[in-house]
Amino acid sequence: MKITTLEFTNYRAFYGTHTLALAGKNALIYGENGSGKSSLYEGLKQFFASANPANSPKPALHLQVPTTQSNGNLSQVSVQATFEDKTTGAMATHVFGEPNQDTATSAGNFIGLANELKGFLSYRELLRTHLIDDIGDRDKFQLAFGSLLVKSILANHVNSVTNNLFLEDDKQLNRPKGRGNAKKREATDFDKGLEKELRQINLIFNEILQYFDKGIKVTLKPQRTMIDYKDYIQPFYRVDVEVELFGVKVQNHLEVLNEARLSAIAISIYLASLTTHPKQNTTYKMLFLDDIFVGLDMSNRLPLLDILTTFQKPKIIQGTNEAGEIAEIVERDAEGKAIAESATPFFADYQIFMTTYDRHWFGVAKQWFENKAKDKWKFFELYVDDFTNSFDVPFIQNSESPLSKAMQAEKRFDYASAGNYLRKAVEELLNNKFQGIILKTKEGTDIEKMAGKLQAVIAFLDSVGVDSTEFRNIGIYTQSLMNPLSHYDIDAPIFKQELKDVITALQNLQNFPDFRKTKILLKEDENILFKLQIDATTENHYLFKLEEAWLGCKTTGQTYLKPIKISSLQCWEVKNGRKGTENNFMKHKKITLEDAINKIVAFENAQNSLSLAIPNHLTACYGKNKTLQSLIDSL
């Protein structure tokens, strides 16, 4: 089951009615400050929490909506969600708000069960895992972290020893003073259950953490629950965090680890807790990540996307752990890789919402999902509308690609806008498919102009034997069509068919191979040494210099190599490992690798009458006897 439509009416920042058409997909949402991201997060959080009538939250009415004077009730304020059962196609709409609310009556209480998963995570929650006043006070950290685990993260998990929810255990242990010995036994049973729960979370937690940082290992270690018997029998939960960084135990991780690592640990704890939650079979599952990327640098942001897309829950079995004890461990294959409990990625049946105020990151993540999880995400942009009313109101729009916007503009005969969007679409295509070494000058600086980028791309594709026709077609119209239509020019002619031709070319290139991982295999002016075995004691060596960098890329299961351009330098004989006399090998300028081999073979045949038709015993090396083939294999 997935949400197809979300509707906010007079709720917090949303004045009037605002709709997100999700079509049952995940949502990546960019929002500038004040545009309603927090209202969206809190609205959905309260929507699911309202399924419990005993603790149903009160909806926050937009400040500009007046109260109804006749009876003192609020005017309509609501968060409405329409769900679709992907198996049967059945639709169900439920509302949280006033005057009507029906979230507690969902079929099988699926809204209430979804709420118990605790799938809402914001940057504020992340900070609670490591932010304390005195980072050197270990006792204070253990108390704060233990309380967070028991009362929030694991609240709806089942304690396998007491058979209660941890939240219920907490209520039991917080009963008024009395029955001290019984309370001790309850605390002991509680601790045993917490230890078992954290032992399993540790196993999965570290598998997730490896996505962020392979050099770190973390263990959540519960300490004995303390009971205050003086005025009130109050439990103090204590859980420590032990960290090993590159095999070295860290004394106090709060003082050693940077914010990116602390945030990665926090995210991993929350996600691992979802994998051990007992309500995994509930009809609807949601994960809402609200601006949690704040504490992560770019190198730690992309791994999170990978986790959400590919992470498979590891299979837990009884076995021998690192200490030689029989315990629960992750089952692994012969190469040490974790064996998955299921072939389906764990978060595949979650509906994921992610918000960010970082415009650049939104673009990076959008591009990532479009390439790695096509058709599973929708993209939205939230802005502050300060024109329509005398106060700020969110404005929601689908985040469409420049190509889609160009097609829409062309259909409404707005050719100037179409040309402008097409220019952006070409820039986006070039960056999405060729960003990196291909779009740099010989000196290593970025190529600035689009025409220069197109020329570089066409030259590269021609060199590796890939059809560049569509890029040439686009290049024809860069100066004549897209540039004039991007500027104020009343004399610029409008070519409707040419606009359509560029649109067609861009559509044809949407599934073009991704060459961004193209890398320099050998730099310009590096040497290549050919070794030809003549007999058991004799080799002839041929030294060549690269006239330009040698590039290679492996994509869509194919290897693409730019032809090597080399010039000959020297040729000499090596006898019994010692350099001998230099041979009279003709100097050749800027020839290909294949031409060089042919010329070596021809020279040897003429000199020594070896009749070498296929020189299988000719080895091309660079550096200290490293073969060119090893470079190709490294792609």
Side-chain angles (χ1 to χ4, degrees):
M1 182 173 283
K2 297 290 173 67
I3 295 176
T4 59
T5 308
L6 273 175
E7 194 173 274
F8 296 83
T9 300
N10 296 331
Y11 178 82
R12 289 182 56 144
F14 294 103
Y15 179 80
T17 297
H18 300 259
T19 303
L20 268 79
L22 297 164
K25 298 181 180 181
N26 303 318
L28 176 65
I29 303 162
Y30 161 75
E32 60 184 358
N33 288 332
S35 63
K37 293 193 310 299
S38 296
S39 296
L40 178 64
Y41 177 79
E42 291 298 333
L44 269 174
K45 193 173 183 179
Q46 289 192 334
F47 174 90
F48 285 96
S50 68
N52 181 354
N55 297 306
S56 181
K58 191 176 183 65
L61 183 72
H62 192 285
L63 294 175
Q64 297 294 330
V65 179
T67 58
T68 303
Q69 298 299 317
S70 58
N71 56 17
N73 292 331
L74 294 177
S75 299
Q76 181 185 1
V77 52
S78 66
V79 178
Q80 177 176 294
T82 298
F83 297 84
E84 180 183 10
D85 188 319
K86 292 297 182 180
T87 303
T88 65
M91 309 289 283
T93 299
H94 291 279
V95 180
F96 154 66
E98 296 179 352
N100 300 311
Q101 180 168 307
D102 65 353
T103 49
T105 62
S106 63
N109 191 30
F110 76 84
I111 295 177
L113 293 176
N115 182 58
E116 290 183 20
L117 277 175
K118 297 283 185 183
F120 289 84
L121 178 59
S122 71
Y123 184 56
R124 292 188 297 275
E125 274 86 28
L126 287 187
L127 287 177
R128 291 177 64 193
T129 64
H130 56 265
L131 190 63
I132 60 173
D133 294 335
D134 182 1
I135 62 174
D137 189 335
R138 215 53 203 165
D139 287 335
K140 189 173 183 179
F141 166 75
Q142 290 175 7
L143 288 168
F145 186 56
S147 179
L148 174 65
L149 283 173
V150 173
K151 298 182 179 183
S152 180
I153 298 175
L154 302 179
N156 291 315
H157 287 228
V158 175
N159 184 322
S160 61
V161 174
T162 67
N163 292 318
N164 298 324
L165 298 179
F166 282 101
L167 186 63
E168 294 169 349
D169 279 342
D170 177 53
K171 290 179 181 177
Q172 283 283 93
L173 292 170
N174 270 289
R175 286 176 305 173
K177 187 175 180 180
R179 296 173 60 217
N181 289 332
K183 192 59 63 74
K184 284 182 180 180
R185 289 193 297 270
E186 289 172 1
T188 299
D189 288 343
F190 171 85
D191 286 345
K192 289 177 181 177
L194 180 60
E195 184 179 4
K196 285 183 68 175
E197 183 71 16
L198 292 183
R199 194 184 304 137
Q200 190 167 85
I201 285 178
N202 280 331
L203 295 173
I204 299 169
F205 161 55
N206 277 286
E207 294 298 315
I208 295 175
L209 191 58
Q210 295 301 296
Y211 280 79
F212 294 107
D213 193 336
K214 294 187 182 300
I216 193 168
K217 182 181 178 182
V218 177
T219 304
L220 308 183
K221 298 205 74 170
Q223 313 296 307
R224 186 167 65 88
T225 297
M226 305 299 293
I227 303 291
D228 175 17
Y229 291 99
K230 290 183 180 179
D231 302 313
Y232 183 75
I233 299 184
Q234 179 183 5
F236 294 97
Y237 310 114
R238 296 163 61 241
V239 178
D240 203 1
V241 175
E242 291 188 357
V243 176
E244 286 184 19
L245 193 59
F246 302 109
V248 179
K249 189 173 181 179
V250 174
Q251 195 68 27
N252 184 344
H253 72 292
L254 299 179
E255 296 177 330
V256 175
L257 302 184
N258 59 22
E259 187 178 6
R261 280 196 167 112
L262 290 172
S263 295
I265 290 172
I267 292 170
S268 299
I269 291 171
Y270 275 95
L271 296 184
S273 72
L274 288 177
T275 69
T276 64
H277 199 285
K279 298 291 173 63
Q280 282 305 319
N281 294 324
T282 185
T283 308
Y284 181 78
K285 290 183 276 192
M286 169 191 276
L287 180 61
F288 199 127
L289 306 177
D290 181 37
D291 256 345
I292 68 166
F293 302 99
V294 175
L296 295 175
D297 54 22
M298 189 60 73
S299 63
N300 275 324
R301 290 180 177 188
L302 291 176
L304 178 56
L305 305 188
D306 208 14
I307 291 168
L308 297 177
T309 308
T310 67
F311 172 72
Q312 296 170 304
K313 182 180 177 181
K315 189 176 181 181
I316 308 298
I317 61 169
Q318 285 289 323
T320 305
N321 63 18
E322 293 177 354
E325 304 164 334
I326 300 299
E328 288 185 329
I329 61 170
V330 173
E331 186 177 11
R332 300 186 183 278
D333 60 19
E335 297 178 354
K337 185 178 179 182
I339 294 174
E341 186 177 271
S342 168
T344 304
F346 180 79
F347 294 104
D349 56 350
Y350 278 70
Q351 189 165 20
I352 303 171
F353 293 75
M354 287 200 299
T355 64
T356 180
Y357 72 90
D358 186 333
R359 178 73 196 184
H360 172 70
W361 166 240
F362 173 77
V364 171
K366 179 183 176 184
Q367 177 187 321
W368 195 96
F369 283 127
E370 287 175 337
N371 288 333
K372 301 288 184 73
K374 194 172 179 62
D375 300 327
K376 293 184 178 179
W377 287 78
K378 292 217 42 170
F379 309 99
F380 300 92
E381 298 174 31
L382 271 62
Y383 296 96
V384 178
D385 177 3
D386 51 7
F387 297 101
T388 306
N389 303 282
S390 59
F391 49 88
D392 293 348
V393 175
F395 175 76
I396 304 173
Q397 69 175 29
N398 289 334
S399 182
E400 298 180 14
S401 68
L403 178 57
S404 295
K405 292 178 180 178
M407 293 167 68
Q408 293 172 21
E410 188 271 332
K411 287 178 181 177
R412 62 177 183 265
F413 311 109
D414 185 358
Y415 300 128
S417 293
N420 197 19
Y421 283 127
L422 283 177
R423 181 179 179 84
K424 291 180 179 179
V426 173
E427 291 275 9
E428 182 180 72
L429 175 71
L430 295 176
N431 289 333
N432 288 353
K433 301 295 184 181
F434 300 98
Q435 187 71 48
I437 192 65
I438 298 172
L439 298 184
K440 290 187 180 294
T441 65
K442 194 174 180 180
E443 291 73 30
T445 59
D446 292 332
I447 299 173
E448 297 292 338
K449 295 186 177 180
M450 188 171 74
K453 291 181 179 180
L454 276 168
Q455 290 172 6
V457 165
I458 291 168
F460 172 79
L461 294 177
D462 289 346
S463 71
V464 297
V466 177
D467 186 6
S468 63
T469 302
E470 297 290 14
F471 290 96
R472 292 180 184 277
N473 291 339
I474 292 171
I476 293 171
Y477 300 119
T478 301
Q479 298 297 328
S480 63
L481 185 64
M482 287 180 280
N483 281 354
L485 291 180
S486 297
H487 305 286
Y488 178 72
D489 186 352
I490 59 174
D491 296 323
I494 296 173
F495 302 105
K496 182 176 180 179
Q497 186 56 48
E498 283 77 355
L499 280 172
K500 289 185 175 181
D501 289 344
V502 176
I503 289 172
T504 300
L506 286 169
Q507 287 176 319
N508 292 339
L509 291 170
Q510 291 307 296
N511 294 319
F512 197 79
D514 185 348
F515 284 98
R516 285 176 298 176
K517 290 187 178 180
T518 298
K519 64 181 185 180
I520 297 176
L521 298 177
L522 288 175
K523 297 178 182 178
E524 182 179 349
D525 290 334
E526 283 197 69
N527 292 335
I528 294 178
L529 182 65
F530 292 93
K531 298 179 180 180
L532 182 64
Q533 193 75 38
I534 302 300
D535 54 41
T537 60
T538 308
E539 285 182 344
N540 281 349
H541 288 192
Y542 295 82
L543 187 65
F544 286 78
K545 180 184 74 171
L546 266 79
E547 295 292 346
E548 56 186 50
W550 183 33
L551 307 182
C553 181
K554 189 171 185 178
T555 181
T556 60
Q558 284 188 272
T559 299
Y560 298 90
L561 297 170
K562 186 176 180 180
I564 295 177
K565 293 291 181 67
I566 53 180
S567 296
S568 58
L569 296 176
Q570 285 180 289
C571 169
W572 64 89
E573 181 183 76
V574 175
K575 194 84 170 175
N576 293 319
R578 294 188 177 185
K579 186 174 180 179
T581 58
E582 186 171 336
N583 294 329
N584 187 26
F585 181 63
M586 185 181 294
K587 295 292 188 287
H588 299 282
K589 292 287 187 181
K590 290 189 177 182
I591 59 175
T592 66
L593 184 69
E594 291 75 14
D595 285 341
I597 292 172
N598 291 333
K599 291 183 183 300
I600 291 172
V601 171
F603 177 77
E604 290 290 347
N605 287 341
Q607 291 290 106
N608 302 312
S609 301
L610 293 177
S611 299
L612 298 175
I614 304 175
N616 293 327
H617 43 299
L618 182 69
T619 306
C621 304
Y622 74 100
K624 292 185 177 180
N625 294 323
K626 297 178 182 178
T627 66
L628 297 190
Q629 186 58 48
S630 67
L631 284 175
I632 297 171
D633 294 340
S634 70
L635 289 172

